[in-house]
Amino acid sequence: MKISVIGTGYVGLVTGTCLAEVGNDVLCLDLDASKIRILREGGIPIHEPGLLEMVQRNVAAGRLHFTTSIEESVAFGQVQFIAVGTPPDEDGSADLQYVTAAARNIGRHMNEYKVVVDKSTVPVGTADKVREALQQELARRGVDTEFSVVSNPEFLKEGAAVEDFMRPDRVVVGADDERAVNLMRELYAPFNRNHDRLVVMDIRSAELTKYAANCMLATRISFMNELANLADKLGADIEQVRLGIGSDPRIGYHFLYPGCGYGGSCFPKDVQALIRAADSIGMPLKVLNAVEEANETQKRILLEKIKGRFGADLKGKHFALWGLAFKPNTDDMRAASSRVVIEGLWAMGATVTTYDPVAMTESRRIFGNDPRLAYADSPMDTLNNADALVIATEWKEFRAPDFEAVKAALKNPVVFDGRNMYEPARVKAHGIEYFAIGRR
């Protein structure tokens, strides 16, 4: 099949590349010429494990192409994926200007039947707006070309997006005509060889499914974070509690790890968007409002622990920070807890030296050349002259440090662990004060 993908961010580039990997002919469109230049030169504009090699392989095979030409993109694919950004508007609702602009561009140039697929995370009712935009542009041209609109939300985890696309748990397709459903079945057939993972439903249900999934996961995280804070006060161990409740098959172990708050491009944005969508029809979502509030509080939990140990005046203090990305295996720092920690330490007068395997370039873009933030070449190099170590991201290379070397390098043998990476007894056996989230 010939497929056009509009947008070369996390969703668009992974979608286009994985569809090319199974034999489709794919053209990726982006109006950002710098992104297309990077892709044409053999690089990728994002960090995603396994994606660079797959892009290069499919470009070499002649199945994956890149363009800045809207006309070329519309003419190329019978299936047109819209995978552009839907950033939060000022009130937290999803900004659909790029989605509707993409739909209008398709309507301006299409001359034959197209399936227009909403791959971006969009509020319920967006397909209607896409359909209306297409119809308006076709009417302006005085043509009556047929098209279908489909909702096909993505369920990709940053850091594991390629694996998630190639081996999906489910493929949700929202459509209201059989022709479009059959084309989507054909498109996803290579990913369904073991068993049929396609879940077909009406469009509005498909749009809501994406938000519901992310908001459920965010709810589990915030719930466990609040339990961990309670465990701290009660003298319980949240890790033991996690094992106890996770063994119940109705609950399971996934997303039961407490920490210093969730971040990234999905959970914060999607929770806010669903809250605002519900507010707009007069139905406040009390649980999700609490989830968002709990997460914002949790992002400051490390700062509260630091204040409890060192006081609120940190002038002259220097901290080592391990991890900048909102989670491992990505360079994404959007809504990352590390940003709250850095800015909070600055506000109390401290300075920071940090290390992250892949996100330091992104951090320099965000913070510029602020003299209060320095970068190290390794985790251990951050510890020089540091009063304490703070951990914000659970990268694998942080899992088994030499605690004797850590103790020797720090001015004060103190570790604030926002991801519960270590057994408290093991750390304390080395003479290190250890502050985790809900651990005894």
Side-chain angles (χ1 to χ4, degrees):
M1 296 178 71
K2 283 195 167 185
I3 300 158
S4 294
V5 180
I6 305 164
T8 60
Y10 277 99
V11 176
L13 188 56
V14 171
T15 297
T17 304
C18 291
L19 289 173
E21 177 75 2
V22 296
N24 295 293
D25 201 6
V26 179
L27 178 64
C28 293
L29 165 71
D30 204 297
L31 300 185
D32 185 339
S34 63
K35 281 186 177 182
I36 297 302
R37 177 182 53 77
I38 291 169
L39 289 161
R40 285 176 171 169
E41 290 175 355
I44 57 174
I46 58 175
H47 177 84
E48 185 61 41
L51 183 59
L52 176 60
E53 297 80 6
M54 189 178 282
V55 167
Q56 292 173 341
R57 182 166 63 247
N58 283 280
V59 168
R63 293 190 297 266
L64 183 60
H65 322 272
F66 306 103
T67 187
T68 57
S69 168
I70 294 169
E71 295 90 338
E72 182 185 3
S73 172
V74 175
F76 186 85
Q78 182 180 24
V79 180
Q80 301 268 323
F81 278 94
I82 297 178
V84 296
T86 53
D89 220 332
E90 289 182 9
D91 64 352
S93 60
D95 184 348
L96 297 178
Q97 63 172 310
Y98 304 112
V99 172
T100 54
R104 289 192 179 282
N105 285 333
I106 295 169
R108 287 187 189 113
H109 299 285
M110 61 184 282
N111 293 309
E112 58 185 353
Y113 174 75
K114 304 285 183 184
V115 178
V116 180
V117 182
D118 284 334
K119 197 70 175 171
S120 303
T121 300
V122 293
V124 176
T126 299
D128 295 336
K129 295 178 180 178
V130 167
R131 184 179 288 107
E132 182 182 1
L134 285 160
Q135 288 171 336
Q136 287 175 351
E137 293 302 325
L138 291 171
R140 233 177 237 121
R141 294 167 53 202
V143 297
D144 191 24
T145 308
E146 284 188 88
F147 65 88
S148 299
V149 176
V150 170
S151 174
N152 176 217
E154 53 85 14
F155 297 96
L156 307 176
K157 300 185 294 291
E158 287 189 39
V162 172
E163 176 71 13
D164 287 346
F165 198 102
M166 298 303 293
R167 294 176 177 83
D169 297 317
R170 76 289 204 197
V171 177
V172 172
V173 171
D176 53 16
D177 70 88
E178 198 61 31
R179 184 178 182 183
V181 170
N182 288 336
L183 275 169
M184 296 303 287
R185 284 193 186 279
E186 181 183 347
L187 180 62
Y188 281 107
F191 307 95
N192 286 321
R193 298 194 66 182
N194 180 268
H195 64 275
D196 189 5
R197 296 177 173 87
L198 211 71
V199 182
V200 180
M201 58 185 73
D202 66 272
I203 292 177
R204 285 182 169 244
S205 295
E207 291 172 331
L208 182 56
T209 295
K210 168 62 177 180
Y211 278 114
N214 277 354
C215 289
M216 172 63 81
L217 296 174
T219 299
R220 285 172 69 101
I221 294 170
S222 281
F223 177 71
M224 284 303 292
N225 284 339
E226 293 223 298
L227 277 186
N229 297 340
L230 180 62
D232 265 338
K233 300 293 186 183
L234 297 177
D237 188 337
I238 195 62
E239 176 62 13
Q240 301 303 314
V241 175
R242 183 187 72 82
L243 294 172
I245 65 176
S247 60
D248 185 331
R250 296 170 300 175
I251 299 173
Y253 293 104
H254 294 298
F255 282 80
L256 291 186
Y257 293 93
C260 52
Y262 61 76
S265 63
C266 294
F267 287 5
K269 176 172 70 72
D270 293 353
V271 168
Q272 285 186 8
L274 193 55
I275 288 171
R276 302 302 174 262
D279 286 346
S280 71
I281 58 172
M283 187 183 169
L285 297 178
K286 297 176 183 177
V287 171
L288 277 191
N289 275 291
V291 167
E292 183 180 38
E293 182 182 352
N295 189 59
E296 291 307 304
T297 299
Q298 197 68 15
K299 287 183 178 181
R300 300 192 62 81
I301 194 71
L302 287 174
L303 295 172
E304 295 304 314
K305 290 178 181 291
I306 291 168
K307 280 198 289 185
R309 173 60 176 79
F310 289 102
D313 183 0
L314 300 180
K315 290 185 181 68
K317 298 288 185 186
H318 184 70
F319 289 83
L321 176 65
W322 286 2
L324 290 163
F326 85 93
K327 69 178 218 177
N329 299 319
T330 180
D331 62 350
D332 194 344
M333 288 182 62
R334 285 174 286 185
S337 300
S338 64
R339 298 174 66 162
V340 176
V341 171
I342 290 169
E343 290 167 359
L345 289 173
W346 287 350
M348 291 187 280
T351 55
V352 180
T353 295
T354 188
Y355 169 80
D356 187 286
V358 301
M360 291 195 289
T361 298
E362 178 65 6
S363 179
R364 288 185 175 97
R365 187 191 68 79
I366 293 167
F367 294 116
N369 296 316
D370 196 301
R372 297 171 295 178
L373 181 62
Y375 299 91
D377 294 328
S378 72
M380 293 303 296
D381 285 347
T382 66
L383 305 179
N384 298 327
N385 298 314
D387 290 280
L389 166 62
V390 184
I391 301 172
T393 314
E394 63 276 31
W395 284 96
K396 285 182 180 179
E397 65 182 276
F398 302 158
R399 287 183 182 177
D402 181 340
F403 286 113
E404 287 298 323
V406 169
K407 179 183 176 182
L410 289 169
K411 286 183 183 178
N412 307 288
V414 183
V415 173
F416 298 93
D417 183 358
R419 298 301 175 188
N420 288 357
M421 295 194 69
Y422 314 120
E423 278 300 318
R426 180 185 169 214
V427 182
K428 290 182 179 181
H430 292 276
I432 296 173
E433 285 183 72
Y434 183 62
F435 297 88
I437 312 294
R439 297 302 310 273
R440 270 179 61 178

